Each structure stands twice: as C-alpha cells, then as structure tokens.
Amino acid sequence: MWPSSYVENLQEGKLHERAAKIAKIILGDDMTFDFDMLISKAPLTDTVTPMHQDESYWCDMPDKRAVTVWVAMDNATVDNGCMWFVPGSHNKELRPHRQAREGHHVLCCDGDESEMIASPIRAGSCTLHHGRTIHYTRGNSTDKQRRAFIVNYRPGLMVTWERNHGYDHGKDKGVQDILKED
C-alpha cells in the first residue's frame, strides 16, 4: 500500500496525472487522489483474489462515487490473473460479503465466472471499475510475474471524511503492526 509515500514525487508522475484526469471526466471535477497500491501475483502460485466489491470494505460514506484505475505492469492474461468483471454490477446493490478465510481481512461474495467477463490487457493498459463492480482474478499459473499498479480517486470531501473517521487504507499503520496481525 501507498507506494507514493515511499517514492518521492510519484503522485506528480504521468500515471497519477492521467488517472486523475480520467476520474474527473467520468465522475466530476471534485475527484481527488485517495490511495495507491502495488500488487503482484508470483509465478506458479495460483492464488485467487476472491470475487468481491471494493465498496464492501468502505466505511458508510455519504458519497460513494469512486473509480479504481488498475494498470497492468506486465501483460495481464487469463492464465496469469487478469481482472474479471460482472457487467452492470456497479448499478446494483452490494452483495452480502464474508471473510474469505477465517482470521484474514479479505472479503468475498458469492458468484461464479459464468456471470463474468475476463479482461486481459497489455502492459501499460488499464481497466477502470467502480466500488460496486464485482471483480476477481484467477491465480497465476504461468512462469512469469503479474504486477499491477492501482490508483483510487473519490470526491475530495469524501477523502477528508474518511480520514476524519480513521479510515486511511492502512497508511498510518506501520509494517510491523500489520505483520503482528498476521
């Protein structure tokens, strides 16, 4: 989480600049940076990211507008864990969510691939999704890494609201604190 906290001027780079412009075009001029993160699926791990809606992790904010920009750092294929989406799910209510595994923070909802569409993309390309969009990724069954850079935007007032309610996507929690929980 928060690579922009560790790399000087990362938020002034092209990725953040372009993602912010896209967020403002589709959701309004009040959109601002909320958080960023890097994710990686190691080769031959076959670890699935379970089907979920990002909004299931959020505190109950008055304005739910948000966009996640998921940028492939490597070609994202069906075999190495590209994103899969349930079309139109952003226009429906949240599905019930539960812990994917006891003792872990990861949430999941019911569903299966038959209602989803795979979205393979080339390195440097991106997908966009709303907090209610149901999505997941298969594991990585290839011998190559699959990495992605994720940037999230929401209304500036909601970012302030989140921080005032103690919700900062793990920024204030040190790595040692997180490791103690696992």
Side-chain angles (χ1 to χ4, degrees):
M1 292 296 294
W2 293 98
S4 59
S5 293
Y6 300 97
V7 178
E8 190 175 340
N9 300 320
L10 184 62
Q11 279 185 274
E12 285 78 49
K14 289 290 183 192
L15 180 125
H16 283 80
E17 176 187 321
R18 291 176 179 165
K21 285 180 182 177
I22 291 168
K24 289 177 182 190
I25 288 168
I26 62 175
L27 291 175
D29 287 335
D30 60 339
M31 300 304 283
T32 192
F33 174 77
D34 187 14
F35 68 92
D36 56 5
M37 63 189 282
L38 292 165
I39 57 173
S40 177
K41 284 193 179 271
L44 303 172
T45 54
D46 235 7
T47 303
V48 169
T49 300
M51 189 178 297
H52 69 282
Q53 293 163 288
D54 293 341
E55 190 177 318
S56 67
Y57 288 97
W58 301 350
C59 43
D60 191 20
M61 292 178 281
D63 186 342
K64 303 267 199 249
R65 289 179 298 143
V67 63
T68 298
V69 181
W70 191 96
V71 181
M73 296 172 67
D74 303 294
N75 291 337
T77 67
V78 170
D79 291 334
N80 74 2
C82 71
M83 295 289 283
W84 289 65
F85 300 103
V86 174
S89 56
H90 66 290
N91 289 319
K92 297 180 180 170
E93 293 298 315
L94 279 177
R95 290 185 182 178
H97 281 70
R98 64 188 177 288
Q99 283 183 313
R101 209 168 69 209
E102 191 172 332
H104 288 265
H105 74 282
V106 175
L107 300 176
C108 67
C109 63
D110 290 332
D112 61 66
E113 277 188 11
S114 66
E115 64 182 316
M116 305 187 93
I117 295 175
S119 300
I121 58 175
R122 298 193 56 73
S125 299
C126 69
T127 63
L128 306 175
H129 65 272
H130 180 275
R132 285 208 178 152
T133 304
I134 298 170
H135 59 285
Y136 105 115
T137 63
R138 286 180 176 174
N140 183 355
S141 61
T142 72
D143 63 353
K144 303 238 182 325
Q145 194 86 358
R146 197 278 286 139
R147 300 166 296 172
F149 193 110
I150 298 166
V151 209
N152 188 275
Y153 290 83
R154 70 176 70 245
L157 287 175
M158 291 304 97
V159 172
T160 301
W161 190 93
E162 281 181 309
R163 302 310 184 264
N164 289 339
H165 287 81
Y167 195 74
D168 66 1
H169 308 283
K171 187 172 189 178
D172 286 338
K173 192 172 245 192
V175 172
Q176 294 306 316
D177 294 331
I178 293 169
L179 291 175
K180 285 178 192 173
E181 291 177 1
D182 289 337

